[in-house]
Amino acid sequence: MDMLKCLLFGLLLSLSLCDGAKILAVFPIPSPSHGILGDNMIKHLLDGGHEVTYITPYVSKQPSHPKLRVIDVTDNNKAFSDKVLNVKQIMSGAMNLQDNEILFEIMVNVAVTTFENPNVQNLLKDPTYKFDVIIGEYLFTNVYSTLAAVLQCPYIWFSTIEPHSMVLNLVHGPLNPAYYSDYLLAQIAPYSFDVRVKQLWSLLKGLYLQSGYFYDREEEIYMKLIAPIAKEQGKPVPNYNDLKYNASLLLGNTQVAIGSAIPLPPSYKHIGGYHIEEPVKPLPEDLKKIMDNAKNGVIYFSLGSNLKSKDLPDDLKQGLLKVFGGLKQTVLWKFEENLPGTPQNVHIVQWAPQQSILAHPNLILFVTHGGLLSLTEAIHFAAPLIVIPVFADQFFNANKAQRKGYAVKVDLTYRLHEDLRVALDKVLGDLPKYTARVQELSVAYHDKPMKPKDALNFWVNHVVKTKGAPHLKSVALQVPLYQRVYLDLIAVIFVALIVLLLIIKKILCLVTGKKTTKEKTN
Ligand SMILES: *[C@@H]1O[C@H](CO)[C@@H](O)[C@H](O)[C@H]1NC(C)=O
């Protein structure tokens, strides 16, 4: 009988594993790189046998798959207009995107538009939809965690950038600001005294915002758009804090070899690089011919998908053409328009299969904006870099790559062409050194127990199997921050010192006081 039970149980278990889990993937941010990360994650989850419901603004790009259901949030594009990224304003310094509050406002608007979207509302209101796990992107807001109140299943954060205090705070606690930078400050340790103070200040400000103003805004959104649905379905409405700090995992689009060796909680898992297609797709014929015939090597120049090179000032475009024209190498420039007077060694490509270009043996240098996807691809395919950071985490990425010794950073200004010429001379003049360095990092990056896509599926399965992986939840979450840093002890010592000082003062007063009264009576 027991044997039979065992067999039946085993059969059921294997059946349920074959079935795969029902996953809700929330990738609502209408920015191409976030779309790439979402699409590729979905692809691997489907390959892993899971059934995926995918909230995305990139509907037309989705393959038809029997286990994929797409929830259309194309409307999010309205909450994220062109105004967000204006090259000329960034170049003149008129626009500063290195600000938590501005970025939070943008992202919280995307969240509201997502929650208000009828397609999302229908999904949440339909009790026939059941999920085993939610994977939601963290980008400046924690509010997507409230979906767990309606769907009543474990929640996994996905963070697209290097680990930082605001996201780690959700699963463990902030990083030590004495050696690890806020990505907006973009500092590389070791720091000078004043940078360390600035770092602490920025951390405290971030924590204050996260638990104060941001919290209030998010709780309001939760109570207005999500909680009523849970109530209507007779489900409890948990406190927002209980949802916010209840994630099972934090998946990071990172790898230590690319980022920094910092202590991370057991619920943090590196899956960076999963977006890179293997095997690499072959190059289109025309590009292949150009790259095959480049006797002096190919330099690939791309400012990424958010920033359109056509928005660059005309003088700068001509300046860049001149700099590139003076090189003996072949230059591939990803650019959205044709330029007049393009030198013979410069080829403008409107659409560029970046991974295939970086994989070509004749590629010797990649000039990039330093988005984390490009950086990961550079290490994957071992290409040295010149980085021209534009916004968000790109400055931090650029500084790290420069410190690691495989990149040179150039600022995006109206003098970009002149500064780029200097940087090109520097890197091309010492190319073997930069190449050797990136090859070392590439070996470290590739040498891991599981491929990133397998790690993704492994950890998602683990959360489903262990019903939310409570064993991975950091103990630190049970202890308030003031206790973790012994603020209470410091307060006790401080009060004791004051009491001691008061007592000493009193004694001194008594002694000297006696004297004066004696003197008076005399
Ligand atoms: C927190 O997560 C666990 C595991 O997924 C779940 O059992 C619990 O109900 C969640 N708590 C809240 C308040 O949602």
Side-chain angles (χ1 to χ4, degrees), residues 299-305 307 324 332-334 354 358 363 365-379 383-391 394-395 397-399 401-402 406-412 416 420 423-424:
I299 297 170
Y300 174 53
F301 175 45
S302 163
L303 289 177
S305 43
L307 200 133
F324 293 147
L332 279 182
W333 183 356
K334 189 196 153 250
Q354 180 161 302
L358 294 178
L363 188 283
L365 176 65
F366 178 20
V367 184
T368 169
H369 65 307
L372 192 50
L373 298 189
S374 290
L375 227 69
T376 309
E377 289 166 24
I379 300 258
L385 298 177
I386 288 177
V387 189
I388 308 166
V390 182
F391 75 112
Q394 292 160 11
F395 297 91
N397 296 342
N399 290 344
Q402 181 161 273
Y406 69 100
V408 168
K409 185 178 100 166
V410 177
D411 291 329
L412 178 66
L416 174 66
L420 187 60
L424 282 166

Side-chain angles (χ1 to χ4, degrees), residues 43 52 120 250 275 370 462 470 487 491 515:
K43 178 175 164 279
V52 183
V120 175
L250 171 52
H275 78 283
H462 187 75
L487 276 188
K515 261 185 196 162

Side-chain angles (χ1 to χ4, degrees), residues 442-504:
S442 190
V443 169
Y445 159 88
H446 283 288
D447 195 32
K448 46 187 177 286
M450 261 190 261
K451 286 204 177 287
K453 63 172 188 196
D454 297 327
L456 161 69
N457 268 311
F458 177 87
W459 288 111
V460 171
N461 280 329
H462 187 75
V463 167
V464 174
K465 262 193 228 172
T466 60
K467 301 200 173 8
H471 57 287
L472 291 180
K473 200 163 186 178
S474 172
V475 182
L477 286 178
Q478 296 169 25
V479 182
L481 190 63
Y482 78 89
Q483 288 183 18
R484 273 183 248 165
V485 296
Y486 283 93
L487 276 188
D488 46 356
L489 175 64
I490 293 171
V492 168
I493 293 176
F494 188 70
V495 170
L497 278 179
I498 288 182
V499 171
L500 198 68
L501 280 178
L502 286 178
I503 292 174
I504 292 174

